[in-house]
Amino acid sequence: MGCGKNGCGCDEVMGLAHIGVFVDDIEVSKVFYMDVLCFECFDESVVETDDGEIRIAFIRLGTCVIELVQFPDKKKRAVDSVIAHIALNVKDIEIVQVCLEKKGVKFETEKPIELSMIFDKGVKYIMFEGPDGEVLELNETL
């Protein structure tokens, strides 16, 4: 999948990790995706913040993975869309971050964020914007 440039880091990008979707009620959304569309829920987490709990559920059907995200305050979600972000699965997030920074990409945080409560061993992620403001995520499953 690499672009062919030496030292680029593109070889570290393996494809789509998941699509994040903001939801009003995670339980209602899980029922819809699981009962209506036959997805399975394979991971659920709660992230404690100063504003309350962010509830997260990862569901999948085949190779399609959706991250359902419920904020304690609906106003915190995206203004114009229920799609939160597009996440790219990477082998080594730091290598890809350095590569993209050299190409002028500005990340939301200086370093990747690690969440140990997601999946078995945790994940590292870092967010940035595409040219039209779409939110993209590099995601490394630990």
Side-chain angles (χ1 to χ4, degrees), residues 127-139:
M127 312 292 270
F128 61 100
E129 286 188 0
D132 291 303
E134 67 272 26
V135 179
L136 300 167
E137 172 185 321
L138 300 179
N139 183 283

Side-chain angles (χ1 to χ4, degrees), residues 16-77:
L16 183 67
H18 63 268
I19 299 168
V21 179
F22 291 131
V23 299
D24 290 338
D25 185 322
I26 203 163
E27 294 305 321
V28 169
S29 294
K30 280 175 26 189
V31 166
F32 172 77
Y33 281 98
M34 293 168 67
D35 292 354
V36 176
L37 298 174
C38 300
F39 277 71
E40 67 168 325
C41 183
F42 68 96
D43 194 80
E44 292 186 73
S45 302
V46 174
V47 178
E48 298 289 340
T49 71
D50 291 341
D51 296 327
E53 295 180 345
I54 299 172
R55 296 185 61 204
I56 300 168
F58 284 89
I59 58 174
R60 72 176 154 218
L61 179 61
T63 60
C64 179
V65 177
I66 297 174
E67 176 188 18
L68 304 173
V69 182
Q70 178 187 321
F71 280 99
D73 180 357
K74 293 178 193 174
K75 294 176 186 170
K76 296 285 184 184
R77 29 184 277 187

